[in-house]
Amino acid sequence: MHVIVVRGVANAGKSTIIKAVARKFGIVVPISRPDILLQVKICINSKNIHIGFASAGDREDQIQTAIKFFEYNKQHVVKPDFIIMACHTRGVTMNAISNAFENCDNCNIMYFDKNRSIPPHEGDENFALNIVRYIEEKSMKMSLSYAPPTMAHR
């Protein structure tokens, strides 16, 4: 499993980035929706990939809720191949993610640091695109179930 962590200070745009990544994969996420917590199956490089999105990460309880959702949610027959989460640059939210995943077998953690931009959200689309490219690159190296090319991403 690949854990992608968008970390930054409060109001840096972490949730905005995660929702932008979801949109780039064709997932409908209303802009007015404050946070998302969902898991989807999409096709990338002719492979079925399960991606979890958790945009709330300002408090430790939000991180714990997301971790339990991806780990124990009965509606998910398959655990995600990728999880995209938000957290602060330090403190309890960062520690919660580290504690949950750093000692996990077959877990790779990749941190993307999001700084506040002036004007707000400048460069967010490129930031989200970098995460999409990371997922596409890593999925090429994974042996997952085959999906018909007609369903391919993009």
Side-chain angles (χ1 to χ4, degrees):
M1 174 181 0
H2 294 271
V3 181
I4 298 166
V5 182
V6 179
R7 63 184 175 184
V9 297
N11 300 315
K14 301 176 297 291
S15 293
T16 301
I17 294 295
I18 292 172
K19 291 186 280 185
V21 172
R23 283 190 207 91
K24 289 194 178 296
F25 284 120
I27 300 162
V28 177
V29 179
I31 293 173
S32 61
R33 189 171 180 180
D35 288 307
I36 59 172
L37 179 60
L38 58 105
Q39 181 175 324
V40 297
K41 179 174 75 173
I42 61 173
C43 182
I44 304 173
N45 299 317
S46 300
K47 296 175 185 173
N48 288 321
I49 306 288
H50 296 262
I51 303 178
F53 297 88
S55 64
D58 286 331
R59 298 187 325 263
E60 183 179 16
D61 65 303
Q62 294 170 321
I63 301 291
Q64 296 300 338
T65 297
I67 290 167
K68 287 177 185 167
F69 176 81
F70 296 125
E71 190 168 306
Y72 302 112
N73 194 338
K74 301 282 189 233
Q75 77 181 32
H76 304 308
V77 177
V78 178
K79 290 190 180 182
D81 303 298
F82 293 88
I83 296 176
I84 306 169
M85 301 180 76
C87 78
H88 285 178
T89 53
R90 62 179 185 230
V92 294
T93 59
M94 183 70 191
N95 293 340
I97 289 176
S98 296
N99 293 338
F101 297 111
E102 285 190 350
N103 294 320
C104 167
D105 291 336
N106 300 318
C107 286
N108 299 307
I109 301 176
M110 179 65 173
Y111 295 100
F112 287 82
D113 291 329
K114 174 66 173 96
N115 299 316
R116 268 195 210 133
S117 56
I118 310 246
H121 307 298
E122 183 175 305
D124 284 359
E125 288 301 312
N126 285 335
F127 196 102
L129 189 57
N130 286 336
I131 294 173
V132 169
R133 287 181 182 140
Y134 175 83
I135 292 170
E136 290 173 338
E137 176 188 318
K138 294 299 178 185
S139 68
M140 289 176 64
K141 299 173 184 172
M142 298 172 80
S143 56
L144 303 167
S145 60
Y146 174 77
T150 55
M151 297 172 55
H153 167 64
R154 288 196 213 208

